[in-house]
Amino acid sequence: MDAQLLEIRDEVFRRNPGETEFHQAVNEVFESLAPLSARHPEYANAAILQRICEPERQIIFRVPWVDDAGKVQINRGFRVEFNSALGPYKGGLRFHPSVYLGIVKFLGFEQIFKNALTGMPIGGGKGGADFDPRGKSDAEVMRFCQSFMTELYRHIGEYTDVPAGDIGVGGREIGYLFGQYKRITNRYESGVLTGKGIGWGGSLVRPEATGYGAVLFAQEMLKTRGQTFDGQRVSVSGSGNVAINAIAKAQSLGAKVVTASDSGGYIVDEAGIDVELLRQIKEVERGRISDYAVRRGSSVSYVPDGSVWDVDATVALPCATQNELNDKHAARLLDSGLIAVAEGANMPCTAEATALFQEAGTLFGPGKAANAGGVATSALEMQQNASRDAWTFEHTEERLTDIMVNIHESCAATAEEYGMPGNYVAGANIDGFRRVADAMLAQGLI
Ligand code: NDP
Ligand code: 2IT
């Protein structure tokens, strides 16, 4: 990183104290930008970097609700509207006890560049709350969502800001949020949220899109070395929306996926994960990964508390949460013959782990490229809502595939253009950044 970038980065750190995940995400992007800044002095003249790191708007609000025992609960809600150069703010909502401003800002910052890479007209934003949906009844989740939307509704809209799901926010929560938005505004504004149910404005393929997209991106990376998913031994972390659909897609391409996890532990299934059983346990019954081991029987071992990254694999798909895969895990995986990593989650690999993978020449697809299929399909949902149309599964999946192939191609081409062939981190950061920077330049100092 050159002196000018370093100075701007340090100023961002100073202005946002204690937000370690945000610092990490900013640092990673800045580390890629020196060659771009050298070619584009006009970005520095217009303070593009400083502006891109400062959210356009940050909203923090109280979310009061009453639990089933009649007790008042208070949570904190967030929406960070980061950048609207390319379109309305777009990005998910995360409900998890670990949520605070630094998490929302790291996710929102990543989202700016990810959304740019999709080529769709969407800006970057993210939100959520420190609410823990685990162990809550449906009625409690509904009351929380209604209270959350009672504040959020005034900040969002089809042309303003379009939230969707993330950790802890799936179809159930989007339903309750949409219902409350509609009730308060008296508008059936389908395009205000994505990830809706199929019968009321949702898009086919949106539930599968992030996991499918991550596997499609990995497939494109493997192709560059004359390899495929067929016969690979794949490790997946998590057992939520992204993980389950990544497992399904990888297995449909001939891989054997042997792991899945949650915050309680992980399972190893040497016969290959039974996706239908996993869906039943996690999506229908809202159970735990330990239940999978009990129900599946003797081919499966359950390891409480351990890390899924202690298991040998040739392809790793981290699909749980940030910083789940560290340098020790990376070194172990490399020893076991790892050839590719695609980040289904946002920033699941620590900076040190990423560096080890890159030094070893492992194919490495960063989250902002590899998991962009989810938000890209959200943009396809917005497109269907705007035209009051509903596309078939096949057509939508074809669009998703084209988008992932294009993202891979443009990251690879940009890395090549800047003298770093095969470096998808640099390719994604530079290409995402310049798309946003060029729009910001054109739109003046705002
Ligand atoms: P879900 O809530 O459906 O699943 C999250 C999974 O990750 C669960 O298995 C959960 O286990 C595990 N997990 C969450 N937090 C932790 C933690 N602190 N430690 C260990 N395990 C944890 O979320 P998604 O599948 O939607 O999201 C997974 C990742 O993918 C996130 O990084 C998200 O930002 C990213 N992503 C999601 C997209 C989407 O469309 N949904 C799009 C692009 C990226 P447990 O139940 O025990 O908490
Ligand atoms: O991290 C992400 O890209 C998401 N959680 C999906 C965002 C969206 O608007 O679909």
Side-chain angles (χ1 to χ4, degrees):
M1 203 182 296
D2 66 26
Q4 195 188 17
L5 282 166
L6 211 56
E7 193 185 320
I8 299 170
R9 186 206 67 176
D10 288 346
E11 178 64 11
V12 173
F13 288 4
R14 265 196 299 279
R15 286 167 61 79
N16 301 279
E19 296 175 357
T20 49
E21 297 83 2
F22 179 48
H23 296 184
Q24 185 183 338
V26 167
N27 194 61
E28 188 220 274
V29 170
F30 274 47
E31 277 184 340
S32 300
L33 291 184
L36 182 72
S37 309
R39 281 195 208 176
H40 292 278
E42 69 276 20
Y43 293 166
N45 295 338
I48 294 290
L49 263 171
Q50 292 92 327
R51 283 196 279 146
I52 241 172
C53 293
E54 183 68 23
E56 291 175 15
R57 190 175 298 105
Q58 306 183 55
I59 302 143
I60 304 182
F61 51 99
R62 181 172 66 206
V63 188
W65 57 283
V66 179
D67 68 19
D68 286 347
K71 189 164 177 281
V72 173
Q73 302 282 344
I74 307 290
N75 286 100
R76 186 171 295 168
F78 301 87
R79 187 70 184 169
V80 173
E81 298 180 335
F82 228 116
N83 193 293
S84 61
L86 298 180
Y89 310 107
K90 182 84 196 85
L93 298 170
R94 177 177 293 191
F95 291 169
H96 192 271
S98 63
V99 167
Y100 77 108
L101 189 57
I103 295 266
V104 181
K105 277 162 71 176
F106 119 64
L107 291 164
F109 187 73
E110 290 278 293
Q111 201 83 47
I112 303 172
F113 309 108
K114 181 196 303 188
N115 293 4
L117 288 171
T118 67
M120 309 294 288
I122 42 179
K126 201 84 184 191
D130 60 355
F131 171 76
D132 189 356
R134 254 173 66 192
K136 304 289 190 298
S137 68
D138 279 354
E140 288 176 321
V141 169
M142 181 174 75
R143 287 197 294 277
F144 176 80
C145 289
Q146 290 178 338
S147 181
F148 185 85
M149 185 54 84
T150 300
E151 172 59 33
L152 188 69
Y153 89 93
R154 64 185 95 245
H155 308 290
I156 63 175
E158 180 183 353
Y159 296 101
T160 314
D161 184 354
V162 183
D166 193 81
I167 290 176
V169 177
R172 173 182 61 171
E173 290 74 20
I174 294 294
Y176 296 148
L177 291 163
F178 184 73
Q180 184 74 349
Y181 181 86
K182 179 164 65 74
R183 186 181 192 195
I184 295 175
T185 60
N186 191 30
R187 284 162 62 84
Y188 204 111
E189 189 185 333
S190 300
V192 71
L193 290 169
T194 60
K196 299 180 296 295
I198 299 309
W200 46 277
S203 173
L204 289 167
V205 189
R206 178 62 189 88
E208 293 85 2
T210 311
Y212 278 25
V215 170
L216 292 169
F217 191 91
Q219 187 181 32
E220 290 304 298
M221 292 199 299
L222 289 167
K223 263 189 210 165
T224 66
R225 304 225 173 133
Q227 285 164 318
T228 67
F229 263 100
D230 198 21
Q232 303 291 349
R233 180 181 164 91
V234 179
S235 259
V236 172
S237 62
S239 50
N241 172 268
V242 180
I244 291 174
N245 291 294
I247 294 169
K249 190 68 175 177
Q251 298 206 141
S252 78
L253 296 173
K256 190 200 272 185
V257 182
V258 291
T259 66
S261 67
D262 60 25
S263 54
Y266 68 90
I267 52 121
V268 183
D269 187 344
E270 289 294 347
I273 304 267
D274 177 342
V275 184
E276 288 323 306
L277 178 61
L278 186 61
R279 278 193 199 282
Q280 172 65 27
I281 290 169
K282 298 297 294 194
E283 292 178 346
V284 181
E285 300 167 19
R286 296 183 186 275
R288 307 298 295 158
I289 201 67
S290 52
D291 301 334
Y292 178 91
V294 174
R295 300 259 279 276
R296 176 83 155 144
S298 57
S299 70
V300 179
S301 52
Y302 173 65
V303 184
D305 301 326
S307 167
V308 71
W309 306 120
D310 291 334
V311 178
D312 290 358
T314 57
V315 176
L317 303 174
C319 297
T321 194
Q322 64 277 350
N323 292 327
E324 54 162 296
L325 195 167
N326 64 28
D327 47 349
K328 287 190 193 69
H329 302 135
R332 256 218 84 266
L333 285 165
L334 288 168
D335 278 347
S336 83
L338 186 82
I339 58 168
V341 182
E343 294 187 319
N346 286 305
M347 209 166 73
C349 298
T350 64
E352 296 75 22
T354 305
L356 282 181
F357 289 138
Q358 292 194 301
E359 281 158 26
T362 311
L363 295 164
F364 183 83
K368 60 173 77 69
N371 72 39
V375 75
T377 309
S378 278
L380 299 179
E381 182 172 330
M382 291 163 71
Q383 205 173 323
Q384 291 168 77
N385 294 153
S387 58
R388 300 184 187 278
D389 197 0
W391 305 342
T392 63
F393 193 96
E394 291 69 26
H395 175 70
T396 317
E397 192 179 20
E398 217 169 277
R399 293 283 306 264
L400 168 65
T401 305
D402 286 349
I403 291 168
M404 295 314 297
V405 169
N406 284 337
I407 295 174
H408 174 271
E409 174 55 33
S410 58
C411 291
T414 305
E416 188 94 35
E417 182 190 342
Y418 281 85
M420 294 172 277
N423 186 338
Y424 294 100
V425 174
N429 286 335
I430 293 175
D431 191 36
F433 186 91
R434 72 180 164 190
R435 289 177 195 235
V436 181
D438 289 342
M440 287 175 72
L441 272 182
Q443 292 169 18
L445 184 60
I446 52 169

